[in-house]
Amino acid sequence: MITPCWPAPPGVKAVCSTREGGYSEQPYHSLNLGAHVGDNPERVKHNRLQFQQMAAMPSQPVWLEQVHGTRCLTLTHNIAAGVQADACFSRQPGVVCSVMTADCLPLLLCNRAGTEVAAVHAGWRGLCNGIIENTLQLFSQPSDCIAWLGPAISQQAFEVGPEVRDAFIKHAPLATSAFIAGQKGKWLADLYMLARQRLEHCGINAIFGGEFCTYQQSETFFSYRRDGQTGRMASAIWRQ
């Protein structure tokens, strides 16, 4: 597993899984945490328990039904799996906020006092449409947050159509710098840069992580764009 390297307060714990250390067989080998990708449900159940135990979590992670939207769910207690949202926020100790990814950007947030935490699933649609901004609105002082960017697809591997670039630039002309011209009218998009721009626009300058590539690091991470049928990692954060 990956422990974020960021100056989170002592009472805030965070972790990100890799594809290693679980029970699933190919093409989900091996720590697949996604129950919606066609894997054996019992293996997923064992993997989720393994993840919880390895990270010494105080409770089960909250498993959202992610729909590439912009809803952030406020958690006051653990909820049943399957609630539609692409981010979750909590002030309650012992509640584990989590999101699943396999190329999209997982973003973890906390305030400097360690009293508020959030996990965000930022695919390009959610990122473009305001999932980061919607989540930050729930914090008492959004500009007082620190952020960690977890494993996502890198710019070299993330080819998108011109409509994606146009949508980001329509929101903010600065987004032009996050795209490199590709082949046949396509563009290479930098999810990490796009997320940093949105965070900085919200007044957040303490931004860490962003050094991974799920597509290229095939031994460590699942990648939907690389493999199609594959598993999911999870990024989680909680207050002790």
Side-chain angles (χ1 to χ4, degrees):
M1 293 193 301
I2 295 168
T3 300
C5 183
W6 65 331
V12 172
K13 301 300 178 183
V15 68
C16 176
S17 70
T18 67
R19 68 180 302 163
E20 303 173 74
Y23 297 90
S24 294
E25 299 177 349
Q26 293 290 2
Y28 310 104
H29 181 71
S30 65
L31 189 62
N32 166 44
L33 300 172
H36 62 292
V37 296
D39 195 4
N40 181 297
E42 284 301 311
R43 294 186 186 276
V44 175
K45 182 179 177 180
H46 285 305
N47 288 341
R48 288 182 170 185
L49 181 59
Q50 174 91 337
F51 179 51
Q52 180 182 344
Q53 292 175 340
M54 289 170 65
M57 295 177 181
S59 62
Q60 258 190 10
V62 171
W63 302 107
L64 304 173
E65 181 184 344
Q66 298 167 191
V67 293
H68 296 274
T70 59
R71 181 189 182 196
C72 181
L73 187 69
T74 297
L75 303 173
T76 57
H77 58 277
N78 285 337
I79 60 170
V83 177
Q84 285 192 353
D86 282 86
C88 47
F89 164 89
S90 187
R91 297 186 177 95
Q92 184 67 35
V95 172
V96 181
C97 298
S98 71
V99 290
M100 288 184 287
T101 56
D103 281 336
C104 292
L105 173 65
L107 171 65
L108 301 181
L109 295 161
C110 72
N111 65 348
R112 294 184 185 277
T115 58
E116 300 172 325
V117 298
V120 182
H121 164 240
W124 78 260
R125 288 180 182 84
L127 183 56
C128 185
N129 292 328
I131 185 66
I132 289 178
E133 292 87 342
N134 286 359
T135 303
L136 285 170
Q137 286 178 3
L138 299 174
F139 283 82
S140 301
Q141 292 182 284
S143 61
D144 191 45
C145 290
I146 62 175
W148 182 74
L149 309 180
I153 192 169
S154 68
Q155 184 172 28
Q156 292 84 355
F158 191 35
E159 187 179 69
V160 299
E163 72 283 356
V164 175
R165 178 176 180 268
D166 292 345
F168 276 101
I169 293 173
K170 182 179 179 180
H171 180 273
L174 181 63
T176 304
S177 60
F179 293 86
I180 297 173
Q183 299 180 348
K184 299 180 180 180
K186 300 286 188 177
W187 295 87
L188 299 174
D190 190 336
L191 275 179
Y192 288 128
M193 183 184 293
L194 290 165
R196 287 190 183 98
Q197 289 176 352
R198 295 297 183 100
L199 289 164
E200 289 169 357
H201 183 73
C202 293
I204 297 173
N205 297 307
I207 306 169
F208 303 86
E211 67 269 28
F212 309 99
C213 178
T214 50
Y215 186 95
Q216 295 174 338
Q217 295 173 264
S218 58
E219 295 299 314
T220 306
F221 302 117
F222 296 114
S223 168
Y224 179 79
R225 180 160 288 215
R226 183 187 64 233
D227 299 325
Q229 189 175 15
T230 191
R232 298 292 186 272
M233 289 89 63
S235 298
I237 186 167
W238 66 96
R239 293 184 60 204
Q240 285 188 319

